[in-house]
Amino acid sequence: MTSVVLALYDGAMLYETAAACEVFGVDRELTDTWYDFRVCGPDTTGDRREGRLGSWLRIDTPHGYDALAEADTVIVSSWDDVDAEPPADLVAAVRAAHDRGARIVSLCTGAFVLAAAGVLDGRRATTHWAHTDALAARYPRVEVDPDVLYIEDGNVLTSAGKAAGMDLCLHLVDADHGAAVANELARRLLVPARRAGAQAQFVAAPTAVESGYAFSDLLDWASGRLDEPLTVPDLARRANMSTRNLTRRFTATTGTTPLRWLHTQRIHRAQELLETTDDTVELIATRTGMGTAATLRRHFHNALGVPPDVYRRTFRGHRGATPKAA
């Protein structure tokens, strides 16, 4: 069982804290094993540890920052005052956990804590788009990318703001338990399917008709037909648009192109089938609209860095968590 510790401190923000607690702290029996999850905070009075969320809510926890010493994964929540120096005891605990080899994760402006600990030196990282310039100016050894939802650089992961924190949490579940479990968790939480980390975190504001879930019907329709050789013109016809108009509006609304979205969904579906079925690669290629096993192998390797057969063996041999039927 993987241990996850969420580190809070005065000024931690509610949304990102709640997202991490919902994802890692609630066992929805999606696998045989879930996370050993703890929340820790700074010492205040005696054995009492307390974190302040926003300006209106305080939570107590029996765990102090010493809990980071044995965690497999350390998550630092966002905070509301990036102009201040992060708490020295938290910075020291994060640095020690990183030196020990723990996976270190920041949500939104929690990246400033990681940077202060030196964890981000020489690495790519991101944070909320409104604070990327400040992060880059204060910590010039960090390669700040303002145009992505989240970044995984080795065993250090950082996310942009708010909803991107949920994306990163689901990405971690995918890494630990597989795509099928992560997708089912997203369905249980009633949040959109996982977005790729490289997707833009800030795109031009769409018009009213394009906002929200303007393309939800189209995406649901396409998701149910990934075994068919769908093309962008097929999507355009379904949406009663020209191909050019669909591409422009789709990109403005979702931050990715229709073709890239289709490709990502096919890869995700292939991951699920490799994890949950004994289908051959040839059959999975057919069921995901890839056509041939050679095409699937090429695209799968380009996307994930390993061929489908290796992915299946790795998932079934080392994660030790069998997905349960929904």
Side-chain angles (χ1 to χ4, degrees):
M1 179 181 293
T2 299
S3 60
V4 175
V5 171
L6 173 65
L8 299 183
Y9 43 98
D10 264 2
M13 300 180 73
L14 180 59
Y15 184 96
E16 293 82 351
T17 298
C21 291
E22 278 292 327
V23 169
F24 302 104
V26 180
D27 185 354
R28 294 175 171 82
E29 299 185 349
L30 301 177
T31 70
D32 293 332
T33 59
W34 199 239
Y35 296 93
D36 173 17
F37 179 72
R38 285 174 286 171
V39 178
C40 69
D43 291 335
T44 52
T45 304
D47 293 332
R48 183 185 180 196
R49 284 99 177 174
E50 183 181 84
R52 176 174 60 84
L53 302 185
S55 59
W56 64 90
L57 180 66
R58 292 181 181 273
I59 63 172
D60 294 332
T61 171
H63 305 292
Y65 291 148
D66 55 341
L68 275 63
E70 298 180 355
D72 298 316
T73 298
V74 172
I75 301 177
V76 179
S77 190
S78 58
W79 69 326
D80 60 5
D81 187 6
V82 298
D83 294 326
E85 287 297 320
D89 51 350
L90 175 58
V91 169
V94 169
R95 183 184 300 117
H98 175 257
D99 291 343
R100 179 176 51 81
R103 181 171 60 181
I104 308 296
V105 179
S106 69
L107 305 180
C108 191
T109 48
F112 283 81
V113 177
L114 271 57
V119 171
L120 299 182
D121 286 355
R123 298 181 184 270
R124 290 180 64 238
T126 193
T127 187
H128 192 290
W129 61 266
H131 302 291
T132 50
D133 287 347
L135 182 65
R138 191 178 309 172
Y139 301 102
R141 297 183 65 183
V142 181
E143 183 184 345
V144 180
D145 189 339
D147 297 322
V148 294
L149 292 178
Y150 56 86
I151 290 174
E152 180 174 8
D153 190 329
N155 65 342
V156 178
L157 300 93
T158 54
S159 84
K162 301 304 177 185
M166 176 63 80
D167 291 317
L168 179 52
C169 288
L170 291 173
H171 172 76
L172 293 171
V173 173
D174 185 341
D176 296 335
H177 296 291
V181 171
N183 288 342
E184 178 60 24
L185 178 57
R187 286 191 286 268
R188 297 285 185 94
L189 295 175
L190 296 180
V191 298
R194 294 166 296 123
R195 297 181 292 175
Q199 183 171 322
Q201 62 168 292
F202 183 69
V203 297
T207 63
V209 72
E210 295 165 344
S211 63
Y213 295 93
F215 288 104
S216 61
D217 289 342
L218 177 64
L219 300 187
D220 288 343
W221 176 85
S223 295
R225 293 165 174 79
L226 292 178
D227 58 328
E228 302 175 11
L230 291 178
T231 63
V232 176
D234 292 330
L235 298 182
R237 280 191 294 271
R238 177 71 182 182
N240 293 317
M241 296 180 184
S242 68
T243 300
R244 180 178 180 181
N245 196 27
L246 172 70
T247 300
R248 179 179 62 82
R249 294 190 179 187
F250 193 99
T251 304
T253 302
T254 68
T256 189
T257 66
L259 183 60
R260 189 174 297 119
W261 179 87
L262 264 177
H263 179 74
T264 300
Q265 300 313 304
R266 296 189 197 281
I267 294 296
H268 285 168
R269 181 66 55 81
Q271 287 179 268
E272 291 185 22
L273 294 174
L274 287 165
E275 295 167 11
T276 60
T277 75
D278 293 319
D279 290 352
T280 64
V281 174
E282 288 77 8
L283 181 55
I284 291 175
T286 300
R287 295 182 63 182
T288 56
M290 294 284 191
T292 68
T295 299
L296 172 59
R297 288 190 174 96
R298 183 175 69 255
H299 289 305
F300 197 92
H301 191 280
N302 288 341
L304 299 177
V306 294
D309 301 304
V310 173
Y311 179 88
R312 171 176 271 165
R313 288 196 301 271
T314 302
F315 176 80
R316 293 187 172 181
H318 295 98
R319 288 183 179 164
T322 302
K324 292 183 178 180

